[in-house]
Amino acid sequence: MTAHSQTVDIAVDNDAIAGTLLSPETKVPGVLFVHGWGGSQHRDLARAKGIAGLGCVCLTFDLRGHEKTIAAKESVTREHNLADIVAAYDRLAEHPAIDAEAIAVIGSSYGGYLSTFLTTLRPVKWLALRVPALYWDDDWDMPKHQLDVARLQRYRRIPWNPQDNLALASCAQFAGDVLLVESEHDDFVPHTTLMSYRAAFEKAHSMTHRILDGADHALSQDCDQQAYTSILTSWISEMVIGARVGDYPHHSARYS
């Protein structure tokens, strides 16, 4: 990373000594974490601390209908929660140390689904989706809590194209780098859904797809949590280092 050099005078007693102040010439990336339905920022916070150590500014938060606002769970809609994500993004982007053109969004399940819409509303350079859920476009204003779970399970077993679904249409327009993380034994987001997402990223600069062997949707086992943390941290590290040298890592395969 290049540094900005500034000559300074340092007052000492009744004299002054010469010094040179070196500071980073460029700002640092920002990373926004978006948890899933029924989750919280708790697990994201642990991962954010590690990624902050790479030289990023991270923000975790609780969607409405969760934690302190749990009373709203039965009335909150997808539209409400997307507004939460946009507000959180704007709060992160206004941090003085952040390069507003170098922001990563990391979304899990429901949060991953909504994060795809964010990419059409705000600049996103890197997008990491862990077991991203998929919902039909209808009933956008219906409380999320009231969506037919059995119908969702059937819907997610069907391959969909960007022409069929607005979230996938958002993916089709995304030109940054993508990480998809799938759980082998996922009862909520099946392999078919992940394939719909992967195929939708037609313009992505790079695509990395990882499958957590033996893992369930919630990563109930500590070893699965650790495996996901390792995958995510390694990918973010590669992206951040690429940004600091002025380019993305061109050796990344589209599918790996």
PDB file of all heavy atoms in Angstrom, residues 171-188:
ATOM      1  N   CYS A 171     -28.902 -10.469  -9.616  1.00  0.00           N
ATOM      2  CA  CYS A 171     -27.629 -11.190  -9.738  1.00  0.00           C
ATOM      3  C   CYS A 171     -27.088 -11.104 -11.167  1.00  0.00           C
ATOM      4  O   CYS A 171     -25.877 -10.975 -11.380  1.00  0.00           O
ATOM      5  CB  CYS A 171     -27.815 -12.655  -9.354  1.00  0.00           C
ATOM      6  SG  CYS A 171     -28.275 -12.944  -7.632  1.00  0.00           S
ATOM      7  N   ALA A 172     -27.990 -11.164 -12.133  1.00  0.00           N
ATOM      8  CA  ALA A 172     -27.576 -11.150 -13.541  1.00  0.00           C
ATOM      9  C   ALA A 172     -26.924  -9.836 -13.940  1.00  0.00           C
ATOM     10  O   ALA A 172     -26.178  -9.784 -14.923  1.00  0.00           O
ATOM     11  CB  ALA A 172     -28.782 -11.430 -14.440  1.00  0.00           C
ATOM     12  N   GLN A 173     -27.175  -8.768 -13.180  1.00  0.00           N
ATOM     13  CA  GLN A 173     -26.593  -7.461 -13.475  1.00  0.00           C
ATOM     14  C   GLN A 173     -25.321  -7.185 -12.678  1.00  0.00           C
ATOM     15  O   GLN A 173     -24.629  -6.198 -12.937  1.00  0.00           O
ATOM     16  CB  GLN A 173     -27.625  -6.365 -13.188  1.00  0.00           C
ATOM     17  CG  GLN A 173     -28.858  -6.431 -14.068  1.00  0.00           C
ATOM     18  CD  GLN A 173     -28.508  -6.384 -15.549  1.00  0.00           C
ATOM     19  OE1 GLN A 173     -27.739  -5.541 -16.003  1.00  0.00           O
ATOM     20  NE2 GLN A 173     -29.062  -7.319 -16.321  1.00  0.00           N
ATOM     21  N   PHE A 174     -25.003  -8.053 -11.716  1.00  0.00           N
ATOM     22  CA  PHE A 174     -23.858  -7.800 -10.834  1.00  0.00           C
ATOM     23  C   PHE A 174     -22.552  -8.138 -11.536  1.00  0.00           C
ATOM     24  O   PHE A 174     -22.381  -9.233 -12.062  1.00  0.00           O
ATOM     25  CB  PHE A 174     -23.992  -8.630  -9.558  1.00  0.00           C
ATOM     26  CG  PHE A 174     -22.923  -8.354  -8.540  1.00  0.00           C
ATOM     27  CD1 PHE A 174     -22.862  -7.142  -7.888  1.00  0.00           C
ATOM     28  CD2 PHE A 174     -21.967  -9.320  -8.252  1.00  0.00           C
ATOM     29  CE1 PHE A 174     -21.875  -6.883  -6.956  1.00  0.00           C
ATOM     30  CE2 PHE A 174     -20.976  -9.079  -7.322  1.00  0.00           C
ATOM     31  CZ  PHE A 174     -20.925  -7.852  -6.671  1.00  0.00           C
ATOM     32  N   ALA A 175     -21.612  -7.187 -11.526  1.00  0.00           N
ATOM     33  CA  ALA A 175     -20.356  -7.364 -12.258  1.00  0.00           C
ATOM     34  C   ALA A 175     -19.137  -7.499 -11.353  1.00  0.00           C
ATOM     35  O   ALA A 175     -18.007  -7.479 -11.825  1.00  0.00           O
ATOM     36  CB  ALA A 175     -20.151  -6.195 -13.226  1.00  0.00           C
ATOM     37  N   GLY A 176     -19.360  -7.643 -10.058  1.00  0.00           N
ATOM     38  CA  GLY A 176     -18.247  -7.785  -9.124  1.00  0.00           C
ATOM     39  C   GLY A 176     -17.869  -9.239  -8.908  1.00  0.00           C
ATOM     40  O   GLY A 176     -18.173 -10.115  -9.720  1.00  0.00           O
ATOM     41  N   ASP A 177     -17.188  -9.492  -7.799  1.00  0.00           N
ATOM     42  CA  ASP A 177     -16.751 -10.843  -7.455  1.00  0.00           C
ATOM     43  C   ASP A 177     -17.756 -11.483  -6.504  1.00  0.00           C
ATOM     44  O   ASP A 177     -18.294 -10.826  -5.609  1.00  0.00           O
ATOM     45  CB  ASP A 177     -15.372 -10.802  -6.803  1.00  0.00           C
ATOM     46  CG  ASP A 177     -14.303 -10.335  -7.778  1.00  0.00           C
ATOM     47  OD1 ASP A 177     -13.786 -11.182  -8.520  1.00  0.00           O
ATOM     48  OD2 ASP A 177     -14.004  -9.124  -7.802  1.00  0.00           O
ATOM     49  N   VAL A 178     -17.973 -12.782  -6.680  1.00  0.00           N
ATOM     50  CA  VAL A 178     -19.016 -13.487  -5.938  1.00  0.00           C
ATOM     51  C   VAL A 178     -18.451 -14.715  -5.235  1.00  0.00           C
ATOM     52  O   VAL A 178     -17.643 -15.458  -5.794  1.00  0.00           O
ATOM     53  CB  VAL A 178     -20.149 -13.939  -6.887  1.00  0.00           C
ATOM     54  CG1 VAL A 178     -21.235 -14.692  -6.111  1.00  0.00           C
ATOM     55  CG2 VAL A 178     -20.754 -12.747  -7.619  1.00  0.00           C
ATOM     56  N   LEU A 179     -18.905 -14.905  -3.999  1.00  0.00           N
ATOM     57  CA  LEU A 179     -18.652 -16.147  -3.258  1.00  0.00           C
ATOM     58  C   LEU A 179     -20.002 -16.765  -2.916  1.00  0.00           C
ATOM     59  O   LEU A 179     -20.854 -16.111  -2.316  1.00  0.00           O
ATOM     60  CB  LEU A 179     -17.873 -15.867  -1.970  1.00  0.00           C
ATOM     61  CG  LEU A 179     -17.751 -17.054  -0.998  1.00  0.00           C
ATOM     62  CD1 LEU A 179     -16.883 -18.162  -1.595  1.00  0.00           C
ATOM     63  CD2 LEU A 179     -17.174 -16.593   0.350  1.00  0.00           C
ATOM     64  N   LEU A 180     -20.200 -18.022  -3.310  1.00  0.00           N
ATOM     65  CA  LEU A 180     -21.394 -18.788  -2.941  1.00  0.00           C
ATOM     66  C   LEU A 180     -20.970 -19.933  -2.036  1.00  0.00           C
ATOM     67  O   LEU A 180     -20.062 -20.698  -2.391  1.00  0.00           O
ATOM     68  CB  LEU A 180     -22.079 -19.356  -4.188  1.00  0.00           C
ATOM     69  CG  LEU A 180     -22.930 -18.438  -5.052  1.00  0.00           C
ATOM     70  CD1 LEU A 180     -23.482 -19.222  -6.241  1.00  0.00           C
ATOM     71  CD2 LEU A 180     -24.055 -17.819  -4.258  1.00  0.00           C
ATOM     72  N   VAL A 181     -21.617 -20.042  -0.884  1.00  0.00           N
ATOM     73  CA  VAL A 181     -21.302 -21.128   0.043  1.00  0.00           C
ATOM     74  C   VAL A 181     -22.578 -21.944   0.271  1.00  0.00           C
ATOM     75  O   VAL A 181     -23.605 -21.408   0.680  1.00  0.00           O
ATOM     76  CB  VAL A 181     -20.757 -20.598   1.380  1.00  0.00           C
ATOM     77  CG1 VAL A 181     -20.452 -21.765   2.324  1.00  0.00           C
ATOM     78  CG2 VAL A 181     -19.505 -19.767   1.149  1.00  0.00           C
ATOM     79  N   GLU A 182     -22.470 -23.226   0.002  1.00  0.00           N
ATOM     80  CA  GLU A 182     -23.605 -24.147   0.075  1.00  0.00           C
ATOM     81  C   GLU A 182     -23.377 -25.144   1.205  1.00  0.00           C
ATOM     82  O   GLU A 182     -22.242 -25.538   1.480  1.00  0.00           O
ATOM     83  CB  GLU A 182     -23.724 -24.864  -1.267  1.00  0.00           C
ATOM     84  CG  GLU A 182     -24.807 -25.908  -1.349  1.00  0.00           C
ATOM     85  CD  GLU A 182     -24.844 -26.571  -2.730  1.00  0.00           C
ATOM     86  OE1 GLU A 182     -24.065 -26.157  -3.623  1.00  0.00           O
ATOM     87  OE2 GLU A 182     -25.650 -27.507  -2.899  1.00  0.00           O
ATOM     88  N   SER A 183     -24.453 -25.568   1.864  1.00  0.00           N
ATOM     89  CA  SER A 183     -24.381 -26.642   2.856  1.00  0.00           C
ATOM     90  C   SER A 183     -24.851 -27.940   2.217  1.00  0.00           C
ATOM     91  O   SER A 183     -25.911 -27.969   1.572  1.00  0.00           O
ATOM     92  CB  SER A 183     -25.248 -26.312   4.075  1.00  0.00           C
ATOM     93  OG  SER A 183     -24.689 -25.270   4.841  1.00  0.00           O
ATOM     94  N   GLU A 184     -24.091 -29.005   2.401  1.00  0.00           N
ATOM     95  CA  GLU A 184     -24.411 -30.271   1.725  1.00  0.00           C
ATOM     96  C   GLU A 184     -25.779 -30.813   2.141  1.00  0.00           C
ATOM     97  O   GLU A 184     -26.547 -31.292   1.302  1.00  0.00           O
ATOM     98  CB  GLU A 184     -23.332 -31.319   2.037  1.00  0.00           C
ATOM     99  CG  GLU A 184     -23.577 -32.644   1.336  1.00  0.00           C
ATOM    100  CD  GLU A 184     -22.549 -33.698   1.694  1.00  0.00           C
ATOM    101  OE1 GLU A 184     -21.876 -33.558   2.737  1.00  0.00           O
ATOM    102  OE2 GLU A 184     -22.432 -34.677   0.925  1.00  0.00           O
ATOM    103  N   HIS A 185     -26.102 -30.730   3.419  1.00  0.00           N
ATOM    104  CA  HIS A 185     -27.363 -31.269   3.927  1.00  0.00           C
ATOM    105  C   HIS A 185     -28.275 -30.129   4.382  1.00  0.00           C
ATOM    106  O   HIS A 185     -28.583 -29.987   5.558  1.00  0.00           O
ATOM    107  CB  HIS A 185     -27.097 -32.241   5.074  1.00  0.00           C
ATOM    108  CG  HIS A 185     -26.219 -33.394   4.693  1.00  0.00           C
ATOM    109  ND1 HIS A 185     -26.480 -34.212   3.593  1.00  0.00           N
ATOM    110  CD2 HIS A 185     -25.076 -33.873   5.250  1.00  0.00           C
ATOM    111  CE1 HIS A 185     -25.541 -35.142   3.499  1.00  0.00           C
ATOM    112  NE2 HIS A 185     -24.677 -34.958   4.485  1.00  0.00           N
ATOM    113  N   ASP A 186     -28.701 -29.323   3.426  1.00  0.00           N
ATOM    114  CA  ASP A 186     -29.529 -28.156   3.719  1.00  0.00           C
ATOM    115  C   ASP A 186     -31.000 -28.500   3.463  1.00  0.00           C
ATOM    116  O   ASP A 186     -31.390 -28.788   2.331  1.00  0.00           O
ATOM    117  CB  ASP A 186     -29.103 -26.968   2.847  1.00  0.00           C
ATOM    118  CG  ASP A 186     -29.624 -25.640   3.355  1.00  0.00           C
ATOM    119  OD1 ASP A 186     -30.756 -25.610   3.880  1.00  0.00           O
ATOM    120  OD2 ASP A 186     -28.915 -24.638   3.218  1.00  0.00           O
ATOM    121  N   ASP A 187     -31.818 -28.460   4.515  1.00  0.00           N
ATOM    122  CA  ASP A 187     -33.239 -28.781   4.390  1.00  0.00           C
ATOM    123  C   ASP A 187     -34.081 -27.572   3.992  1.00  0.00           C
ATOM    124  O   ASP A 187     -35.275 -27.713   3.737  1.00  0.00           O
ATOM    125  CB  ASP A 187     -33.779 -29.347   5.711  1.00  0.00           C
ATOM    126  CG  ASP A 187     -33.146 -30.682   6.068  1.00  0.00           C
ATOM    127  OD1 ASP A 187     -32.786 -31.428   5.131  1.00  0.00           O
ATOM    128  OD2 ASP A 187     -33.002 -30.978   7.278  1.00  0.00           O
ATOM    129  N   PHE A 188     -33.475 -26.393   3.962  1.00  0.00           N
ATOM    130  CA  PHE A 188     -34.211 -25.167   3.661  1.00  0.00           C
ATOM    131  C   PHE A 188     -33.859 -24.590   2.289  1.00  0.00           C
ATOM    132  O   PHE A 188     -34.720 -24.097   1.571  1.00  0.00           O
ATOM    133  CB  PHE A 188     -33.952 -24.118   4.747  1.00  0.00           C
ATOM    134  CG  PHE A 188     -34.467 -24.505   6.098  1.00  0.00           C
ATOM    135  CD1 PHE A 188     -33.647 -25.139   7.018  1.00  0.00           C
ATOM    136  CD2 PHE A 188     -35.783 -24.246   6.453  1.00  0.00           C
ATOM    137  CE1 PHE A 188     -34.125 -25.504   8.268  1.00  0.00           C
ATOM    138  CE2 PHE A 188     -36.275 -24.602   7.695  1.00  0.00           C
ATOM    139  CZ  PHE A 188     -35.432 -25.241   8.611  1.00  0.00           C
TER     140      PHE A 188
END
